[in-house]
Amino acid sequence: MRLWHVDLLKYLPKGQLLSQWRELNSIFAKEDKHILINYIYEYSKNDLYVYTEKVIEEMKKRGYQIRSYEKMNKYFENLESVKHVKPFKNHHDNEYLQICYYNLKEKFIRGQKDFEEEMYNNLCWYVNDILKNSIDGFK
């Protein structure tokens, strides 16, 4: 279980993006605990809501159909106002960007069928541009 770095959603292959929606629905239904996502419970539901909206936006942009928002709506039903901030800002940092990038790089190298070369190249350009302009850079 993983919530991909928010800035990488537009570079995810179809399989990872659709899995992201399934994982979010699992969180909505059971408030799953997993070592790779436990950090989300340190934040307000605002962050998860904004993240979820970004996943939905990317899915719609690609023409993917969402059959039901039932679990999402129930999970967020008491959320009063939403501040549209960068979600999980202390965890979705440059280090996590690198972690997600290398995970996706391995999927591409190993031949994931739905990971097109153009999308992978765009991912590489984006990540390299972000990291070369950051203080952290590649470590």
Side-chain angles (χ1 to χ4, degrees):
M1 176 165 261
R2 167 185 307 281
L3 293 185
W4 293 97
H5 190 290
V6 65
D7 294 341
L8 298 184
L9 293 174
K10 64 184 172 184
Y11 302 106
L12 294 179
K14 181 179 182 178
Q16 274 63 44
L17 185 59
L18 296 179
S19 292
Q20 199 70 153
W21 178 246
R22 283 191 300 275
E23 289 176 8
L24 285 168
N25 274 281
S26 185
I27 291 168
F28 302 150
K30 302 179 279 186
E31 291 197 351
D32 277 343
K33 303 287 189 222
H34 187 279
I35 195 166
L36 295 181
I37 65 155
N38 287 340
Y39 68 87
I40 70 169
Y41 301 110
E42 298 172 20
Y43 293 86
S44 76
K45 282 188 176 182
N46 244 357
D47 287 71
L48 188 59
Y49 183 83
V50 171
Y51 185 88
T52 300
E53 281 192 328
K54 291 182 178 294
V55 169
I56 291 169
E57 178 183 312
E58 184 60 31
M59 289 176 67
K60 286 182 176 179
K61 189 187 326 180
R62 296 189 197 184
Y64 305 154
Q65 299 292 320
I66 298 172
R67 285 181 269 165
S68 174
Y69 293 91
E70 184 179 331
K71 291 176 186 172
M72 180 187 116
N73 291 338
K74 185 171 174 39
Y75 188 79
F76 293 118
E77 70 186 346
N78 295 322
L79 195 62
E80 292 182 17
S81 65
V82 177
K83 291 181 184 175
H84 287 274
V85 295
K86 183 172 181 175
F88 314 120
K89 67 180 181 173
N90 294 327
H91 287 85
H92 285 214
D93 56 10
N94 283 349
E95 182 178 34
Y96 190 59
L97 181 85
Q98 289 177 39
I99 290 166
C100 290
Y101 166 72
Y102 284 120
N103 188 301
L104 290 167
K105 180 177 183 167
E106 182 178 24
K107 291 176 186 330
F108 180 78
I109 290 169
R110 301 288 179 234
Q112 182 170 320
K113 289 181 176 31
D114 67 346
F115 206 165
E116 298 169 9
E117 188 168 354
E118 181 180 0
M119 183 175 279
Y120 174 72
N121 288 335
N122 289 338
L123 166 71
C124 293
W125 292 325
Y126 175 78
V127 170
N128 286 324
D129 188 50
I130 292 296
L131 295 178
K132 80 176 179 185
N133 292 319
S134 76
I135 294 170
D136 294 336
F138 275 111
K139 292 183 181 178

